[in-house]
Coordinates of all heavy atoms in Angstrom, one line a residue:
M449 N -28.7 51.4 71.6 CA -28.5 52.0 70.3 C -29.0 51.1 69.3 O -28.8 49.9 69.3 CB -26.9 52.2 70.1 CG -26.7 52.9 68.8 SD -25.0 53.3 68.5 CE -24.9 54.9 69.2
L450 N -29.8 51.5 68.4 CA -30.4 50.8 67.4 C -29.6 50.9 66.1 O -29.4 52.0 65.5 CB -31.7 51.4 67.0 CG -32.6 50.6 66.0 CD1 -32.8 49.2 66.3 CD2 -33.9 51.4 65.8
F451 N -29.3 49.8 65.5 CA -28.5 49.8 64.1 C -29.4 49.3 63.0 O -30.3 48.4 63.2 CB -27.3 48.8 64.2 CG -26.2 49.3 65.1 CD1 -26.2 48.9 66.5 CD2 -25.3 50.2 64.7 CE1 -25.2 49.3 67.3 CE2 -24.4 50.7 65.6 CZ -24.2 50.2 66.9
R452 N -29.4 50.0 62.0 CA -30.2 49.6 60.8 C -29.4 48.9 59.7 O -28.3 49.4 59.5 CB -30.9 50.8 60.1 CG -31.9 51.4 61.2 CD -32.8 52.4 60.5 NE -33.7 52.9 61.4 CZ -34.7 53.6 61.0 NH1 -35.1 54.0 59.9 NH2 -35.6 54.0 62.0
S453 N -29.9 47.9 59.2 CA -29.2 47.2 58.1 C -29.3 48.0 56.9 O -30.3 48.7 56.6 CB -29.9 45.8 57.9 OG -29.2 45.2 56.9
A454 N -28.2 48.0 56.1 CA -28.3 48.7 54.7 C -28.8 47.9 53.7 O -28.5 48.0 52.5 CB -26.8 49.1 54.4
G455 N -29.4 46.7 54.1 CA -30.0 45.8 53.2 C -29.3 44.5 53.3 O -28.4 44.3 54.1
P456 N -29.7 43.5 52.4 CA -29.0 42.1 52.5 C -27.6 42.2 52.2 O -27.0 43.2 51.5 CB -29.8 41.3 51.5 CG -30.3 42.3 50.6 CD -30.6 43.6 51.3
P457 N -26.7 41.4 52.8 CA -25.3 41.4 52.5 C -25.1 41.0 51.1 O -25.9 40.4 50.3 CB -24.7 40.3 53.4 CG -25.8 39.5 53.8 CD -27.1 40.3 53.7
P458 N -24.1 41.5 50.4 CA -23.8 41.2 49.0 C -23.5 39.7 48.8 O -23.0 38.9 49.8 CB -22.5 41.9 48.6 CG -22.0 42.3 49.9 CD -23.0 42.3 51.0
A459 N -24.1 39.1 47.7 CA -23.9 37.7 47.5 C -22.4 37.3 47.2 O -21.7 38.2 46.8 CB -24.6 37.3 46.2
P460 N -21.9 36.2 47.8 CA -20.5 35.8 47.6 C -20.2 35.7 46.0 O -21.1 35.5 45.3 CB -20.3 34.6 48.4 CG -21.7 34.2 48.4 CD -22.6 35.3 48.3
G461 N -18.9 35.8 45.7 CA -18.5 35.7 44.3 C -18.1 36.9 43.7 O -18.0 38.0 44.4
R462 N -17.7 36.8 42.5 CA -17.3 37.9 41.7 C -18.3 38.4 40.7 O -19.0 37.5 40.1 CB -15.9 37.8 41.0 CG -14.7 37.2 41.9 CD -14.1 38.4 42.7 NE -13.1 38.0 43.5 CZ -11.9 37.9 43.5 NH1 -11.3 38.3 42.2 NH2 -11.1 37.5 44.4
T463 N -18.5 39.6 40.3 CA -19.6 40.1 39.4 C -18.8 40.5 38.2 O -18.0 41.4 38.1 CB -20.3 41.2 40.0 OG1 -20.9 40.8 41.3 CG2 -21.5 41.5 39.1
V464 N -19.3 40.0 37.0 CA -18.9 40.5 35.7 C -19.9 41.7 35.3 O -21.1 41.4 35.4 CB -19.0 39.4 34.6 CG1 -18.7 39.8 33.3 CG2 -18.1 38.2 35.1
T465 N -19.2 42.8 34.9 CA -20.1 44.0 34.7 C -20.0 44.3 33.3 O -19.0 44.0 32.6 CB -19.8 45.2 35.7 OG1 -18.4 45.4 35.4 CG2 -19.9 44.8 37.2
A466 N -21.0 45.1 32.9 CA -21.0 45.7 31.5 C -19.9 46.7 31.3 O -19.7 47.6 32.1 CB -22.3 46.4 31.3
P467 N -19.1 46.5 30.3 CA -17.9 47.5 30.1 C -18.4 48.8 29.4 O -17.5 49.6 29.3 CB -17.0 46.6 29.0 CG -17.9 45.8 28.3 CD -19.1 45.4 29.4
L468 N -19.6 48.8 28.8 CA -20.1 50.0 28.2 C -21.5 50.0 28.2 O -22.3 49.0 28.5 CB -19.6 50.1 26.8 CG -19.9 49.2 25.8 CD1 -19.5 49.7 24.4 CD2 -19.2 47.9 25.9
V469 N -22.3 51.0 27.8 CA -23.7 51.1 27.6 C -24.1 50.6 26.3 O -23.4 50.6 25.3 CB -24.2 52.6 27.6 CG1 -25.7 52.8 27.3 CG2 -23.8 53.2 29.0
G470 N -25.1 49.7 26.3 CA -25.5 49.1 25.1 C -26.7 48.1 25.4 O -27.3 48.2 26.3
T471 N -26.8 47.1 24.5 CA -27.8 46.0 24.6 C -26.9 44.7 24.8 O -26.0 44.4 24.0 CB -28.6 45.9 23.3 OG1 -29.3 47.1 23.2 CG2 -29.7 44.8 23.5
F472 N -27.3 44.0 25.9 CA -26.7 42.9 26.4 C -27.3 41.6 25.6 O -28.5 41.4 25.6 CB -26.7 42.6 27.7 CG -26.0 41.4 28.3 CD1 -24.7 41.1 28.1 CD2 -26.8 40.3 28.8 CE1 -24.0 40.0 28.6 CE2 -26.2 39.1 29.3 CZ -24.9 39.0 29.3
Y473 N -26.5 40.8 25.1 CA -27.0 39.6 24.4 C -26.3 38.3 25.0 O -25.1 38.3 25.3 CB -26.8 39.5 23.0 CG -27.5 40.6 22.2 CD1 -26.9 41.7 21.7 CD2 -28.9 40.5 22.0 CE1 -27.7 42.7 21.1 CE2 -29.7 41.5 21.4 CZ -29.0 42.6 20.9 OH -29.6 43.6 20.3
R474 N -27.1 37.3 25.5 CA -26.5 36.2 26.1 C -26.1 35.1 25.1 O -25.3 34.2 25.6 CB -27.6 35.6 27.0 CG -28.0 36.4 28.2 CD -28.8 35.7 29.2 NE -28.1 34.5 29.7 CZ -28.8 33.4 30.0 NH1 -30.1 33.3 29.9 NH2 -28.1 32.4 30.4
A475 N -26.4 35.3 23.9 CA -26.2 34.2 22.8 C -25.5 35.0 21.5 O -25.7 36.2 21.4 CB -27.4 33.5 22.3
P476 N -24.7 34.2 20.7 CA -24.1 34.9 19.6 C -25.1 35.3 18.5 O -24.7 36.2 17.8 CB -23.1 33.9 19.2 CG -23.6 32.5 19.7 CD -24.4 32.8 20.9
E477 N -26.2 34.7 18.5 CA -27.2 35.1 17.5 C -28.7 34.5 18.0 O -28.7 33.7 18.9 CB -26.9 34.4 16.2 CG -27.0 33.0 16.1 CD -26.5 32.3 14.8 OE1 -25.5 32.9 14.1 OE2 -27.1 31.2 14.5
P478 N -29.7 35.3 17.5 CA -31.1 34.8 17.9 C -31.2 33.3 17.8 O -30.9 32.7 16.7 CB -32.0 35.6 17.1 CG -31.2 36.8 16.7 CD -29.7 36.3 16.5
G479 N -31.8 32.7 18.7 CA -32.1 31.2 18.7 C -30.9 30.3 19.0 O -31.1 29.1 19.1
A480 N -29.7 30.9 19.2 CA -28.6 30.1 19.5 C -28.6 29.8 21.0 O -29.2 30.5 21.9 CB -27.3 30.8 19.1
R481 N -27.7 28.9 21.4 CA -27.6 28.5 22.9 C -26.8 29.7 23.5 O -25.9 30.1 22.9 CB -26.7 27.2 23.1 CG -26.5 26.9 24.5 CD -25.7 25.5 24.6 NE -25.6 25.1 25.9 CZ -24.7 25.8 26.7 NH1 -24.0 26.8 26.4 NH2 -24.5 25.3 28.1
P482 N -27.2 30.1 24.8 CA -26.4 31.2 25.4 C -24.9 30.8 25.6 O -24.6 29.7 25.7 CB -27.1 31.3 26.6 CG -28.5 30.8 26.5 CD -28.4 29.7 25.6
F483 N -24.1 31.8 25.7 CA -22.7 31.5 25.9 C -22.5 30.7 27.2 O -21.7 29.9 27.2 CB -21.8 33.0 26.1 CG -21.8 33.7 24.7 CD1 -22.5 34.7 24.5 CD2 -20.8 33.2 23.8 CE1 -22.5 35.3 23.2 CE2 -20.8 33.8 22.5 CZ -21.5 34.9 22.2
V484 N -23.2 31.2 28.2 CA -23.1 30.6 29.6 C -24.5 30.5 30.2 O -25.3 31.3 30.0 CB -22.1 31.1 30.5 CG1 -20.7 31.1 30.0 CG2 -22.4 32.5 30.8
E485 N -24.6 29.6 31.1 CA -25.8 29.3 32.0 C -25.3 29.3 33.4 O -24.1 28.8 33.6 CB -26.6 28.2 31.6 CG -27.3 28.1 30.3 CD -28.5 28.9 30.1 OE1 -28.9 29.6 31.1 OE2 -29.2 28.8 29.1
A486 N -26.2 29.5 34.3 CA -25.9 29.2 35.6 C -25.5 27.7 35.9 O -26.1 26.8 35.4 CB -27.2 29.5 36.7
G487 N -24.4 27.5 36.6 CA -23.8 26.2 36.9 C -22.7 25.8 36.0 O -22.0 24.8 36.0
D488 N -22.6 26.6 34.7 CA -21.5 26.3 33.8 C -20.2 26.7 34.4 O -20.0 27.6 35.1 CB -21.6 27.0 32.6 CG -22.8 26.6 31.7 OD1 -23.4 25.5 32.0 OD2 -23.1 27.3 30.7
R489 N -19.0 25.9 34.1 CA -17.7 26.3 34.4 C -17.1 27.2 33.3 O -17.4 27.0 32.2 CB -16.8 25.1 34.6 CG -15.4 25.3 34.8 CD -14.7 24.1 35.4 NE -15.0 23.9 36.7 CZ -14.6 24.8 37.8 NH1 -13.8 25.7 37.6 NH2 -15.1 24.4 39.0
V490 N -16.5 28.3 33.7 CA -15.9 29.3 32.9 C -14.3 29.3 33.2 O -13.9 29.2 34.2 CB -16.5 30.6 32.9 CG1 -18.0 30.5 32.4 CG2 -16.4 31.2 34.3
V491 N -13.6 29.8 32.2 CA -12.2 30.1 32.3 C -12.0 31.6 32.1 O -12.7 32.2 31.3 CB -11.3 29.3 31.5 CG1 -11.4 27.8 31.9 CG2 -11.7 29.3 30.0
A492 N -11.0 32.1 32.8 CA -10.6 33.6 32.4 C -10.5 33.8 30.9 O -9.8 32.9 30.4 CB -9.4 33.9 33.2
G493 N -11.0 34.9 30.4 CA -11.0 35.1 29.0 C -12.2 34.6 28.2 O -12.3 34.9 27.1
Q494 N -13.0 33.7 28.8 CA -14.1 33.1 28.1 C -15.2 34.1 27.8 O -15.5 34.9 28.8 CB -14.6 31.9 28.8 CG -15.7 31.2 28.1 CD -16.2 30.0 28.9 OE1 -15.4 29.4 29.7 NE2 -17.4 29.7 28.7
T495 N -15.7 34.2 26.7 CA -16.9 35.1 26.4 C -18.0 34.6 27.2 O -18.5 33.4 27.2 CB -17.2 35.1 25.0 OG1 -16.1 35.6 24.2 CG2 -18.4 36.0 24.6
I496 N -18.7 35.5 27.8 CA -19.9 35.3 28.6 C -21.1 36.0 28.1 O -22.3 35.6 28.5 CB -19.7 35.6 30.1 CG1 -19.5 37.1 30.5 CG2 -18.7 34.6 30.8 CD1 -20.7 37.9 30.6
G497 N -20.9 36.9 27.1 CA -22.0 37.6 26.5 C -21.5 38.6 25.6 O -20.3 38.8 25.4
I498 N -22.3 39.5 24.9 CA -22.0 40.5 24.0 C -22.8 41.7 24.4 O -24.0 41.7 24.8 CB -22.4 40.1 22.6 CG1 -21.6 38.9 22.1 CG2 -22.1 41.2 21.6 CD1 -22.0 38.4 20.8
V499 N -22.2 42.9 24.4 CA -22.8 44.1 24.5 C -22.7 44.9 23.1 O -21.7 45.1 22.6 CB -22.2 45.0 25.6 CG1 -23.0 46.3 25.6 CG2 -22.4 44.4 27.0
E500 N -23.8 45.0 22.5 CA -24.0 45.8 21.2 C -24.1 47.3 21.5 O -24.9 47.8 22.3 CB -25.1 45.4 20.4 CG -25.3 46.2 19.2 CD -26.6 45.8 18.3 OE1 -27.4 45.2 18.9 OE2 -26.6 46.3 17.3
A501 N -23.1 48.1 21.0 CA -23.2 49.6 21.1 C -22.8 50.1 19.7 O -21.9 49.9 19.2 CB -22.2 50.0 22.1
M502 N -23.7 51.0 19.3 CA -23.6 51.6 17.9 C -23.2 50.6 16.8 O -22.3 50.9 16.1 CB -22.7 52.7 18.0 CG -23.0 53.8 19.1 SD -21.8 55.1 19.3 CE -21.9 55.8 17.7
K503 N -24.0 49.5 16.8 CA -23.8 48.5 15.8 C -22.6 47.8 15.8 O -22.3 46.9 15.0 CB -24.0 49.0 14.4 CG -25.3 49.7 14.1 CD -26.5 48.8 14.1 CE -27.7 49.6 13.8 NZ -28.9 48.8 14.0
L504 N -21.8 47.9 16.9 CA -20.6 47.1 17.1 C -20.8 46.1 18.3 O -21.3 46.4 19.3 CB -19.3 47.9 17.5 CG -18.9 49.0 16.6 CD1 -17.9 50.0 17.2 CD2 -18.3 48.3 15.3
M505 N -20.4 44.9 18.0 CA -20.6 43.8 19.0 C -19.2 43.7 19.9 O -18.3 43.4 19.3 CB -20.8 42.4 18.2 CG -22.0 42.5 17.5 SD -23.5 42.8 18.4 CE -24.7 42.7 17.1
N506 N -19.4 43.9 21.2 CA -18.3 44.0 22.0 C -18.4 42.6 22.9 O -19.3 42.6 23.7 CB -18.2 45.2 22.9 CG -18.2 46.5 22.1 OD1 -17.2 46.8 21.6 ND2 -19.3 47.1 21.8
H507 N -17.5 41.7 22.8 CA -17.5 40.6 23.6 C -17.2 40.8 25.1 O -16.2 41.7 25.3 CB -16.5 39.5 23.1 CG -17.0 38.9 21.8 ND1 -17.6 37.7 21.8 CD2 -17.1 39.3 20.7 CE1 -17.9 37.4 20.5 NE2 -17.6 38.4 19.7
V508 N -18.0 40.3 26.0 CA -17.7 40.4 27.4 C -17.2 39.1 27.9 O -17.7 38.1 27.7 CB -19.0 40.8 28.2 CG1 -18.7 41.0 29.6 CG2 -19.7 42.1 27.6
A509 N -15.9 39.2 28.6 CA -15.4 38.0 29.0 C -15.2 37.9 30.6 O -15.1 38.8 31.3 CB -13.9 37.9 28.5
S510 N -15.1 36.7 31.1 CA -14.9 36.5 32.5 C -13.5 36.8 32.8 O -12.6 36.6 32.1 CB -15.1 35.0 32.9 OG -14.8 34.7 34.2
E511 N -13.2 37.3 34.1 CA -12.0 37.6 34.4 C -11.3 36.5 35.3 O -10.2 36.6 35.7 CB -11.9 38.8 35.3 CG -12.2 40.1 34.5 CD -12.3 41.5 35.3 OE1 -11.4 41.5 36.1 OE2 -13.3 42.3 35.2
W512 N -12.2 35.5 35.6 CA -11.8 34.5 36.6 C -12.3 33.1 36.1 O -13.1 33.0 35.4 CB -12.6 34.7 37.9 CG -12.4 36.1 38.5 CD1 -11.4 36.6 39.2 CD2 -13.4 37.1 38.3 NE1 -11.6 38.0 39.4 CE2 -12.9 38.3 38.9 CE3 -14.6 37.3 37.6 CZ2 -13.5 39.5 38.9 CZ3 -15.3 38.5 37.6 CH2 -14.8 39.6 38.2
D513 N -11.4 32.1 36.6 CA -11.9 30.7 36.4 C -12.9 30.4 37.5 O -12.7 30.9 38.7 CB -10.7 29.8 36.6 CG -9.7 29.9 35.5 OD1 -9.9 30.5 34.4 OD2 -8.5 29.4 35.8
G514 N -13.9 29.7 37.2 CA -15.0 29.4 38.2 C -16.2 29.0 37.7 O -16.2 28.4 36.5
V515 N -17.4 29.1 38.5 CA -18.6 28.4 38.0 C -19.5 29.6 37.9 O -19.6 30.5 39.0 CB -19.1 27.5 39.1 CG1 -20.5 27.0 38.8 CG2 -18.1 26.3 39.0
V516 N -20.3 29.7 37.0 CA -21.4 30.8 36.9 C -22.4 30.6 38.1 O -23.1 29.5 37.9 CB -22.1 30.9 35.5 CG1 -23.3 31.9 35.5 CG2 -21.0 31.1 34.5
A517 N -22.5 31.4 39.0 CA -23.5 31.2 40.1 C -24.9 31.8 39.8 O -25.9 31.3 40.2 CB -23.0 31.9 41.4
E518 N -24.9 32.8 39.0 CA -26.2 33.5 38.8 C -26.1 34.5 37.5 O -25.1 35.1 37.5 CB -26.6 34.3 39.9 CG -27.9 35.0 40.0 CD -28.3 35.8 41.2 OE1 -27.2 35.9 42.1 OE2 -29.4 36.1 41.3
V519 N -27.0 34.4 36.6 CA -27.1 35.2 35.5 C -27.9 36.4 36.0 O -29.3 36.2 36.4 CB -27.6 34.6 34.2 CG1 -27.7 35.6 33.1 CG2 -26.7 33.4 33.8
L520 N -27.6 37.6 35.9 CA -28.3 38.8 36.5 C -28.9 39.6 35.3 O -29.8 40.4 35.6 CB -27.3 39.5 37.3 CG -26.7 38.9 38.4 CD1 -25.5 39.7 39.1 CD2 -27.7 38.5 39.5
A521 N -28.5 39.4 34.1 CA -29.0 40.3 33.0 C -29.8 39.3 32.0 O -29.3 38.3 31.6 CB -28.1 41.1 32.4
E522 N -30.9 39.9 31.6 CA -31.8 39.1 30.6 C -31.1 39.4 29.2 O -30.5 40.4 28.8 CB -33.1 39.6 30.6 CG -33.9 39.4 31.9 CD -34.1 37.9 32.2 OE1 -34.4 37.2 31.2 OE2 -34.0 37.5 33.4
D523 N -31.5 38.4 28.3 CA -31.1 38.6 26.9 C -31.8 39.7 26.3 O -33.0 40.1 26.4 CB -31.5 37.4 26.1 CG -30.9 37.4 24.7 OD1 -29.7 37.7 24.6 OD2 -31.7 37.1 23.8
A524 N -31.1 40.6 25.4 CA -31.6 41.7 24.7 C -31.9 42.9 25.7 O -32.7 43.8 25.4 CB -32.7 41.5 23.7
M525 N -31.4 42.9 26.9 CA -31.7 43.9 27.8 C -30.6 45.1 27.7 O -29.5 44.9 27.4 CB -31.4 43.2 29.3 CG -31.6 44.2 30.4 SD -31.2 43.2 32.0 CE -31.6 44.3 33.1
A526 N -31.2 46.3 27.9 CA -30.4 47.5 27.8 C -29.6 47.5 29.1 O -30.2 47.3 30.2 CB -31.3 48.7 27.6
V527 N -28.3 47.7 29.0 CA -27.4 47.8 30.2 C -26.6 49.1 30.3 O -26.4 49.7 29.2 CB -26.6 46.6 30.3 CG1 -27.3 45.3 30.5 CG2 -25.6 46.4 29.1
E528 N -26.3 49.4 31.5 CA -25.5 50.8 31.7 C -24.2 50.2 31.9 O -23.9 49.2 32.4 CB -26.0 51.4 32.9 CG -27.3 52.1 32.7 CD -27.5 53.1 31.8 OE1 -26.6 53.8 31.7 OE2 -28.7 53.2 31.1
Y529 N -23.1 51.2 31.8 CA -21.8 50.9 32.2 C -21.6 50.4 33.7 O -22.2 51.2 34.6 CB -20.9 52.1 32.0 CG -19.6 52.0 32.6 CD1 -18.7 51.3 31.9 CD2 -19.2 52.5 33.8 CE1 -17.2 51.3 32.3 CE2 -17.9 52.3 34.3 CZ -17.0 51.9 33.6 OH -15.7 51.5 34.0
G530 N -20.9 49.4 34.0 CA -20.8 48.9 35.3 C -22.0 48.0 35.8 O -21.9 47.6 37.0
Q531 N -23.0 47.8 35.2 CA -24.2 47.0 35.6 C -23.8 45.5 35.6 O -23.2 45.0 34.8 CB -25.3 47.2 34.6 CG -26.6 46.5 35.1 CD -27.8 46.8 34.1 OE1 -27.8 47.9 33.4 NE2 -28.8 45.8 34.1
A532 N -24.3 44.9 36.7 CA -23.9 43.5 37.0 C -24.6 42.7 35.8 O -25.9 42.7 35.6 CB -24.4 43.2 38.3
L533 N -23.8 41.9 35.2 CA -24.4 40.8 34.2 C -24.6 39.5 34.7 O -25.5 38.8 34.4 CB -23.4 40.9 32.9 CG -23.2 42.2 32.3 CD1 -22.3 42.1 31.1 CD2 -24.5 42.9 31.8
L534 N -23.5 38.9 35.4 CA -23.6 37.7 36.0 C -22.6 37.6 37.2 O -21.7 38.5 37.4 CB -23.3 36.6 35.0 CG -22.2 36.5 34.2 CD1 -21.0 35.8 35.0 CD2 -22.4 35.6 33.0
R535 N -22.8 36.6 38.1 CA -22.0 36.4 39.2 C -21.3 35.1 39.1 O -21.9 34.1 38.6 CB -22.8 36.4 40.4 CG -21.9 36.5 41.8 CD -22.8 36.8 43.0 NE -24.0 35.9 43.0 CZ -23.9 34.7 43.5 NH1 -22.9 34.2 44.0 NH2 -25.2 33.9 43.5
I536 N -19.9 35.1 39.4 CA -19.2 33.9 39.2 C -18.5 33.5 40.7 O -18.1 34.4 41.3 CB -17.9 34.1 38.4 CG1 -18.5 34.3 36.8 CG2 -17.0 33.0 38.3 CD1 -17.5 34.6 35.7
E537 N -18.6 32.3 40.9 CA -17.9 31.8 42.2 C -16.5 31.4 41.6 O -16.3 30.3 41.0 CB -18.6 30.6 42.7 CG -20.0 30.9 43.3 CD -19.8 31.7 44.6 OE1 -18.7 31.6 45.3 OE2 -20.9 32.4 45.0
P538 N -15.6 32.1 42.0 CA -14.2 31.8 41.4 C -13.6 30.6 42.1 O -14.0 30.4 43.3 CB -13.3 33.1 41.8 CG -14.0 33.7 42.9 CD -15.5 33.4 42.8
D539 N -12.7 29.9 41.4 CA -11.9 28.7 41.9 C -11.1 29.3 43.1 O -10.6 30.4 43.0 CB -11.2 28.2 40.9 CG -12.0 27.4 39.8 OD1 -13.3 27.1 40.1 OD2 -11.5 27.1 38.7
E540 N -10.8 28.4 44.0 CA -9.8 28.8 45.0 C -8.4 28.6 44.4 O -8.1 27.8 43.7 CB -9.9 27.8 46.2 CG -11.2 27.8 46.9 CD -11.5 29.0 47.7 OE1 -10.4 29.7 48.3 OE2 -12.6 29.5 47.8
T541 N -7.6 29.7 44.8 CA -6.2 29.6 44.2 C -5.2 29.4 45.5 O -5.5 29.7 46.6 CB -5.9 30.8 43.4 OG1 -6.1 32.0 44.4 CG2 -6.6 31.0 42.2

């Protein structure tokens, strides 16, 4: 019997997703340092980016303590509800 792979296995860690449709910004204003970069340590509740929707700036926060493993969304990128923004390797509890 032949089995086909459904693609690569999902990357380990937890994914922070867009809470709504809009434009994702990695920094608080143009030219500013991004909220987080790969390798940065974050704590639960820390802002990792902003999604602008209908001229309202909605802060996106990490749900976990851990290290940013990968940033998946570009600055000023249009995002959909539930789209992956970044991946966090959570601390062991």
Side-chain angles (χ1 to χ4, degrees):
M449 180 177 269
L450 180 64
F451 291 96
R452 292 189 180 194
S453 172
R462 305 276 175 101
T463 304
V464 178
T465 60
L468 66 163
V469 174
T471 304
F472 178 67
Y473 295 105
R474 294 190 57 214
E477 60 187 37
R481 182 183 182 281
F483 288 105
V484 295
E485 295 278 10
D488 288 353
R489 174 158 288 287
V490 295
V491 296
Q494 179 178 338
T495 299
I496 60 90
I498 296 171
V499 175
E500 177 187 7
M502 298 179 66
K503 305 291 183 190
L504 294 174
M505 300 299 182
N506 301 278
H507 287 256
V508 181
S510 172
E511 296 179 39
W512 312 277
D513 294 344
V515 175
V516 176
E518 184 178 14
V519 177
L520 303 168
E522 298 293 323
D523 188 50
M525 178 179 182
V527 294
E528 298 290 328
Y529 171 79
Q531 182 174 338
L533 302 176
L534 59 85
R535 192 170 51 80
I536 295 177
E537 292 290 339
D539 291 342
E540 296 292 324
T541 54

